[in-house]
Amino acid sequence: MKRLLFISLLLFVSILTLAASISNVSAAEVVIDTGHHHLGDDFKEELNPDDPEGLVYTANFTLNPSVDIESAELTLTVRSIVPGPTDEFSDKIYLNEIEIGSLNDYVPAETPDSVAVNITIPVHPSLFNPGNNTLKISAGSDANGSNYDDFEFYDVSFHLNETEPVTLEPPLKVAWTYKLPWKYVCEKPAVKTLVKDGVLYLSGDLEEGLIAVDAETGEPLWNKEWSASLAYKNGVLFAVHSSKIEALDAKTGKPLWSKEYSDDGWDNPLIFADTLFVSTPYNRYVAAIDTENGTLKWKYEFNITSFETGGSTYYQMSGPLMNGNTFVSRYSAVHSIYTEPVEIDPDEPEPETDESEVEDGLVSLDANTGKEIWRYSNLSTYSYSPFLYKDLIYIENNGTILALSAESGEEVWKTNAGEWADIIEVKNDRMLVNTGKSFLLNASTGEVLKELSYPEKEFPYPEIPVASSMITDKYVYSTGPYNIRVFNSDKGETVWSSSRIKGTSVSDPTVYKDKLYLVSTEGILYAFEHGEEGLLFTRGLENSATYYFPPIAIAGMILLLALLLRNSSNKSLVLGPWLIALSGVLLLSLKAIDPYTCAWSLLGFLFILIFFFFMPLAFLVGIAFLVSGIRKKKAWGK
């Protein structure tokens, strides 16, 4: 009779809400509930309590909006859970209605019902809301939904590792500089930066490969001879280069383990919990690797079967994203068919092909098994890299911002942004999009929240996407072609802009605690901190003032010429020395603007024109006028 009463109640009540409200939490541990709870549909005297409380447990808690979570884990103790993997009786856990795992998967096989098991479930930081959050635990049922798993749980807590808060505020000044082993380039520096636990790591176009410096002082700590893509976890730096992955002590650079994974060129490292995910930018593979010892957990091979047989297919896998359960990668496939059947000699050029078939899209994998879940294959070849926030994937496609469900790949919303659009960042349910001018969108609905209308002078090259930005709670730190700009993150108003930085371009900014880091094309690593620049010269930027030397010097020379000609009857004797001096000024001007010129730019063309034509001509004509003026002076003297 008692059992029938419980089942009858469960027919009317399927969700039991237990309020566990915690306000303004910013500590490392968030205690949700220490009490014992029994979910299911059956009386079990071995459980505490023995009567089931319902099928679903819900707890509400509040996080301080200023908390920036770097990693998180949910811990709880359970008893009488059906061990996984299991399709039936799957006891799911949800954070803000997004599944974060199944309790069954964390219970060892053949665990007796009477044994309590401590469970730790990694949680992706993007799944938390700034403010109100909801945790839900549900009892799984059999295939018919007629019988539910009965289990006990207690001591429910979240353990949060918070990102060190950014305290940097404008205005900025140079704190220190470090000269990198560097070959001068004109383009935006291709330098990968990562800063963790007080150490700044740089890799890319560097002669020394990988460099570690003290983030506070700029003092070099250690270096490696190879360039690599980097990831970090708990004092371990993971360096991915070619087919190798190296695990290093992040403070000293001492090797912990090193493994080679076939002959694929791995890249794009991404860490979640105890797994390092990598993909092949010039091939078809994705792999999951154990961070503790380098063991390969799974390897996925992407393939398109709809292409015609014959010919050759080239694949690219890039930009791995994940929210805990779902792994998403951008793919590109190009298939070429030969004009006639041929045998390909590897020592000879490939034969001509018909027009290639091209497919670009996204592929989603189960992060735990590597099993493919869905594909989205309607992307433009020129669309930018995707973003993943909570349970949505965002990507630009021919000027339209698309939001896809991370679970199914289905379209949730789309917003037309113009001819092109670049998603700069998604944070706190807001998306910053650049289309030549910037927009704020609601990340859940795609609704345009605010158009950020910057003065045109802020965008001297509007055709270049302003993607080199980092968003904090208060500011957007952005690097343009040659300086730093800081905007108010709410209103989009310009707060501060730096002096010109020496070189033709600067790298993307990296903001950490109270400093901003960037690299110029001169190979100078700059660290900026809060403070006022000098009136004319600023530490670390002194040489950038020479950029303005040519127009000032030439204007001064023209003014000097006007004054000298006005008071002189022998024009040749004035023009001669003036032209010779002008050639010297031009030489100094060329030296001054040399760091800011590229051969294929307008400034570079003027550089070459002045050096090979105007400067020699001014010097020769100056000598001619000087000789003529001396002769006139001698003639008048007679």
Side-chain angles (χ1 to χ4, degrees), residues 9 14 79 88 99 133 164 170 205 298 335 360 377 385 434 461 531 563:
L9 290 172
S14 61
R79 194 153 62 98
E88 294 189 343
E99 182 183 332
N133 292 265
E164 294 185 85
D205 292 339
W298 54 257
H335 184 67
D360 287 86
S377 58
S385 298
N434 179 53
Y461 306 105
L563 292 174

Side-chain angles (χ1 to χ4, degrees), residues 264-283:
D264 293 311
W266 297 105
D267 205 344
N268 308 311
L270 176 68
I271 293 179
F272 180 73
D274 62 349
T275 304
L276 170 67
F277 298 93
V278 290
S279 62
T280 53
Y282 303 108
N283 212 326

Side-chain angles (χ1 to χ4, degrees), residues 192-195 200-203 210-211 222 226-232 237-240 246 248 267-271 276:
K192 302 169 185 176
T193 59
L194 177 68
V195 55
L200 176 64
Y201 307 95
L202 301 102
S203 185
L210 171 61
I211 298 175
W222 54 264
W226 26 259
S227 178
S229 295
L230 308 174
Y232 176 94
L237 184 71
F238 297 89
V240 181
E246 317 260 359
L248 309 171
D267 205 344
N268 308 311
L270 176 68
I271 293 179
L276 170 67

Side-chain angles (χ1 to χ4, degrees), residues 410-430:
E410 295 176 352
E411 187 179 296
V412 177
W413 59 256
K414 63 181 179 181
T415 298
N416 186 8
E419 293 184 5
W420 62 270
D422 184 18
I423 302 172
I424 298 176
E425 191 165 351
V426 184
K427 191 172 185 178
N428 295 339
D429 209 32
R430 294 183 303 170

